[in-house]
């Protein structure tokens, strides 16, 4: 007699209410897993960060942290207070979750933190894999170093993965949602020269890499969260692909000085510069991208 046992696992997601968190929750639930979100607010299937600190980690198979104040919120001035919020919302939530994991009676088997490719120094020529150096040259690179350092937990019980994500593209948030209206009106175009690298990933693939990391025992360490073709994509390529998919001209550049004036010089680096990033370990770990090239990713997002 064959007995079919359906195993459902419970996962804890910090920042699970956000753009990436919603895609990840949906993917995990579609695979039969249960999800509890850790949020600043109470809600259905949610616990608060305060409850996590006071009561400890509920029994679960895996944990993920996606919490973080939106760095590119154009309505927030790049003040000292905002910079602090950007740091604290990532570093303190990661510290809280890592501490809860380390102190849990039944620690989860896997723990995934999503950080960013801002770890690598922007360059038009250098190609970065997961083994490349970085993390100590500007505000964002140092933030990633601190963020990842807070994630360390005892290795004997919990397998740890850090996904360094590029710009996340999807229908329900992120870069494309902010750019869609100017592009639809034919007012879109590259940012500044458009020659700067554009390290991107479809949100389905970022969620897919996190699930792959949670579910596969052999996966550990750093994984770059960018599409395989992102290493050769420039900001101008992205603008042209988006314009072409919308059948609109995409020739009006957004001048660099406007970007600097709106976001401040330190933050505008994220838009005016970029990194050529290769997802070498991600591919070696066996992950197969649903959207490896930009036209198919954009077609899916606009469909
Ligand atoms: N989107 C991208 O292009 C991109 C690129 C590289 C890396 N990442 C990283 O990936 C993670 C997920 O990105 P996302 O686009 O899904 O983020 P998001 O939607 O902007 O925010 C994720 C969640 O973070 C929590 N949060 C926001 N501000 C907070 C604060 N001040 N303190 C504590 N929690 C706060 C919120 O959850 P509650 O309101 O429920 O508390 C929010 O739902 C982030 O850490 C981000 O830095 C994203």
């Amino acid at each position: 007699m064959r007995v079919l046992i359906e195993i459902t696992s419970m996962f804890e997601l910090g920042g699970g209410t956000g753009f990436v968190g919603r895609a990840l929750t949906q993917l995990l639930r579609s695979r039969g897993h249960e999800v509890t979100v850790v949020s600043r607010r109470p809600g259905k299937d949610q616990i608060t960060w305060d409850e996590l600190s006071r009561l400890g980690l509920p029994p679960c198979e895996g944990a993920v942290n996606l919490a973080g104040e939106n760095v590119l919120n154009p309505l927030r001035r790049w003040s000292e207070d905002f910079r602090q919020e950007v740091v604290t919302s990532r570093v303190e939530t990661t510290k809280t979750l890592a501490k809860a994991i380390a102190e849990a009676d039944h620690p989860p088997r896997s723990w995934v933190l999503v950080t960013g490719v801002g770890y690598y120094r922007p360059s038009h020529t250098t190609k970065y894999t997961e083994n490349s150096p970085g993390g100590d040259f500007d505000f964002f690179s140092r933030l990633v170093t601190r963020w990842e350092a807070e994630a360390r937990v005892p290795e004997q019980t919990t397998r740890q993965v850090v996904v360094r994500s590029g710009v996340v593209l999807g229908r329900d948030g992120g870069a494309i949602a902010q750019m869609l209206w100017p592009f639809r009106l034919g007012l879109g175009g590259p940012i500044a020269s458009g020659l700067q690298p554009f390290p991107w990933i479809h949100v389905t693939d970022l969620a897919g890499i996190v699930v792959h990391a949670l579910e596969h025992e052999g996966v550990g360490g750093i994984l770059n969260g960018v599409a395989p073709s992102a290493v050769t994509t420039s900001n101008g390529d992205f603008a042209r692909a988006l314009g072409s998919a919308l059948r609109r001209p995409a020739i009006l550049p957004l001048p660099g000085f406007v970007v600097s004036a709106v976001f401040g010089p330190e933050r505008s680096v994220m838009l005016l510069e970029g990194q050529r990033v290769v997802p070498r370990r991600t591919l070696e770990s066996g992950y197969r991208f649903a959207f490896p090239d930009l036209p198919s990713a954009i077609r899916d997002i606009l469909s």
Side-chain angles (χ1 to χ4, degrees), residues 16-162:
T17 55
F19 167 45
V20 178
R22 290 191 301 273
L24 179 58
T25 301
Q26 201 177 20
L27 182 58
L28 283 167
R29 290 195 173 134
S30 74
R31 295 172 74 83
H33 300 302
E34 285 177 47
V35 175
T36 302
V37 167
V38 189
S39 167
R40 287 168 294 177
R41 280 171 287 273
K44 188 174 177 291
D45 298 325
Q46 283 182 201
I47 60 169
T48 63
W49 289 101
D50 182 51
E51 283 168 329
L52 179 68
S53 300
R54 282 190 293 108
L55 309 172
L57 193 74
C60 61
E61 289 290 307
V64 180
N65 194 17
L66 294 162
E69 180 70 48
N70 177 7
V71 180
L72 286 177
N73 182 346
L75 304 176
R76 297 291 304 269
R77 203 169 55 80
W78 193 235
S79 60
E80 193 43 47
D81 279 358
F82 186 55
R83 284 166 106 238
Q84 203 47 47
E85 246 177 89
V86 165
V87 174
T88 309
S89 58
R90 288 167 172 78
V91 171
E92 292 303 318
T93 53
T94 302
K95 193 171 174 177
T96 302
L97 205 37
K99 182 165 181 283
I101 291 169
E103 291 173 356
D105 291 336
H106 302 285
R109 291 219 294 255
S110 51
W111 151 229
V112 181
L113 174 68
V114 175
T115 64
V117 296
Y119 181 84
Y120 308 112
R121 189 186 284 277
S123 162
H124 283 230
T125 49
T126 311
K127 292 180 183 170
Y128 296 109
T129 70
E130 291 85 348
N131 297 325
S132 301
D136 59 358
F137 57 90
D138 71 355
F139 172 81
F140 293 107
S141 68
R142 284 190 278 272
L143 166 58
V144 175
T145 298
R146 274 185 70 189
W147 197 1
E148 293 180 0
E150 293 298 348
R152 294 205 185 107
V153 293
E155 280 169 26
Q156 310 86 297
T157 44
T158 303
R159 187 169 47 80
Q160 197 184 323
V161 180
V162 170

Side-chain angles (χ1 to χ4, degrees), residues 171 202 204 291 295-303:
R171 208 168 299 165
H202 191 298
T204 298
F291 299 101
S296 70
I298 291 184
R299 262 199 312 276
D300 174 77
I301 290 163
L302 298 180
S303 66

